[in-house]
Amino acid sequence: MSEELFKRLPAIDKWLNSEIGTTLIAEFSRNEVSEVMRQHLIEVRDGIDNGLDELPDFYSPQYAALIRVDILRRRLPSFCKVINATGIIIHTNLGRAPLAEEAIEAISRVARGYSNLEMDLSSGQRGSRYRHVESLLCQLTGSEAALVVNNCAAAVILSLSTLAAHREVIVSRGELVEIGGSFRIPDIIKKSECRMVEVGTTNKTRISDYASALSSDSRVLLSVHPSNYKIIGFSEKATSRELADLSHQNELIFMQDLGSGTLVDMCASDSIAEQSVKKSIADGADIVTFSGDKLLGGPQSGIILGRSTLIDAIKNNPLLRGFRIDKLSLAALVATLRLYIPPNNPAERVPVLRMINEDVRIIDRRARNLLRQLKKIPGLSGSVVSDVSYGGGGVLPMTEIPTKVLHIEFANLGAGQLARILRESDPPLVARVNKGKLIIDPRTILSEDTNDVVRAFRQIVR
Ligand SMILES: *Cc1c(COP(=O)(O)O)cnc(C)c1O
């Protein structure tokens, strides 16, 4: 029986040269049509192996329509907008910070035409792209000088390789962490051609540990925000002030990699107690690095603050050209930073801060409204439950912001299956799955996306 079916499958050339083949090729390309046809044949063969006992009519206009839909789907760009229903506010896999309206407009203005990216308009001479942002950063943080690069990883490598190549970088064993993907502090120090000197222990490093490690080759005391990692309980670390004092007594540079630095003294909700960039500078850090697209709420970028002699040296490092920020990110960064200038209230204008600060009573109302709409879908049931949202993105990992979430069930589908179908809707909806439950946290859903959330659930019925 199945032998018979296999024999009746069309040969690819014959199918391509048939009437539906030629029509499709006229509309698309021979390559695309042939690839989709091949894919269909593979699926039909699979089907036969699994008990399919009747072939479709491969030469019918209905079948041509199926192939057409598949070709169009393959033509959609794979990189697209998604809806974040995970409640993780700075989600690296989902592109970190959504930008403020002002930043989006700035990108669009600069992208559409030419700009004075590297021209000093008063002299008509070549200027520096960094001057558009340096004084703004200094004004907002109290730093003497500033520089921006492609991301925070680049900021760290560029700073270390400029300031401490072939010299010693002293760092606590408690801070030799891996931060997402492939950013491991020991590897970064090595790649920057510095010699790493580890001090203290995993859980306790005192200022005396740093002091006793100093040598004539020491150049930088490095403190790294441990990001996704936290030691709870029996632990101790030196304060920024102590590290700065020790560095300066010994003519060393105190460098602090904050990762997710913030320009506000966190926040109305008090739920995230991050050290602000201003405090690092005030405590005496000579170099501070942080990301533009974490708590700052801007585009991908790495910000370096510090003393002007050091920043000047970094600006002269030939690696800077390899790490430089592009004009679109620069435009967005400047626009985002301007939202921090009083009397602007960044907590209202910067999406990341707005999400962190959104009152749980408002989230509760949004959750109930959403559930009311979703319950109209046949087969769907759900409830509103207290839970927590997460800062994400290397913000203190234990940071939990009280929230209200939806638990959704759908007929006999498992939570994993449900989540997968939602990820395949247009636009994709990314939910959280925990202990067999599908969880939707309205905190990270932009209000303009609510209808698309409902639509994503409706298409499950189909
Ligand atoms: C996130 C992070 C980085 C890397 O920042 P990117 O902008 O992703 O390059 C570096 N250091 C710390 C402490 C971080 O949290």
Side-chain angles (χ1 to χ4, degrees), residues 96 151-153 179 183 224-225 227 257-260 291 293-294 301:
R96 292 198 184 156
N151 60 7
C152 184
I179 298 153
F183 190 84
V224 181
H225 191 298
S227 295
D257 176 23
L258 292 179
S260 189
S291 282
D293 54 355
K294 291 183 179 170
S301 47

Side-chain angles (χ1 to χ4, degrees), residues 323-334:
F323 290 150
R324 79 178 180 188
I325 188 168
D326 78 290
K327 64 177 180 179
L328 303 184
S329 306
L330 185 62
L333 180 61
V334 170

Side-chain angles (χ1 to χ4, degrees), residues 162 178 202 213 239 256 271 282 289 347 357 385 434:
T162 308
E178 170 174 311
T202 305
T239 66
Q256 221 172 9
S271 40
T289 52
N357 286 309
V385 179
N434 192 12

Side-chain angles (χ1 to χ4, degrees), residues 126-147:
R126 180 173 181 160
S128 154
R129 66 181 60 207
Y130 305 112
R131 92 203 127 88
H132 301 297
V133 68
E134 183 165 10
S135 59
L136 195 49
L137 279 168
C138 293
Q139 178 194 337
L140 290 169
T141 62
S143 180
E144 250 177 57
L147 179 61

Side-chain angles (χ1 to χ4, degrees), residues 337-443:
L337 289 170
R338 287 167 60 87
L339 299 176
Y340 284 84
I341 303 176
N344 286 334
N345 181 2
E348 284 168 5
R349 312 279 286 277
V350 177
V352 162
L353 299 181
R354 208 162 49 210
M355 285 179 192
I356 290 172
N357 286 309
E358 186 156 16
D359 193 286
V360 67
R361 282 166 299 189
I362 293 174
I363 308 258
D364 185 51
R365 203 156 62 220
R366 291 176 60 198
R368 281 171 207 289
N369 280 336
L370 184 56
L371 185 61
R372 196 168 322 116
Q373 296 181 64
L374 291 179
K375 276 192 164 163
K376 292 181 192 152
I377 300 170
L380 185 148
S381 61
S383 52
V384 174
V385 179
S386 292
D387 203 330
V388 289
S389 312
Y390 298 92
V395 184
L396 290 180
M398 304 303 151
T399 297
E400 297 181 345
I401 309 166
T403 194
K404 295 285 180 176
V405 299
L406 301 178
H407 284 184
I408 301 288
E409 287 173 38
F410 204 99
N412 49 3
L413 288 176
Q417 283 173 300
L418 209 49
R420 164 141 186 241
I421 299 172
L422 293 171
R423 282 199 305 276
E424 286 172 352
S425 67
D426 177 25
L429 172 69
V430 182
R432 201 185 328 154
V433 175
N434 192 12
K435 300 195 178 122
K437 290 233 156 40
L438 184 92
I439 299 171
I440 301 287
D441 187 344
R443 186 181 294 277

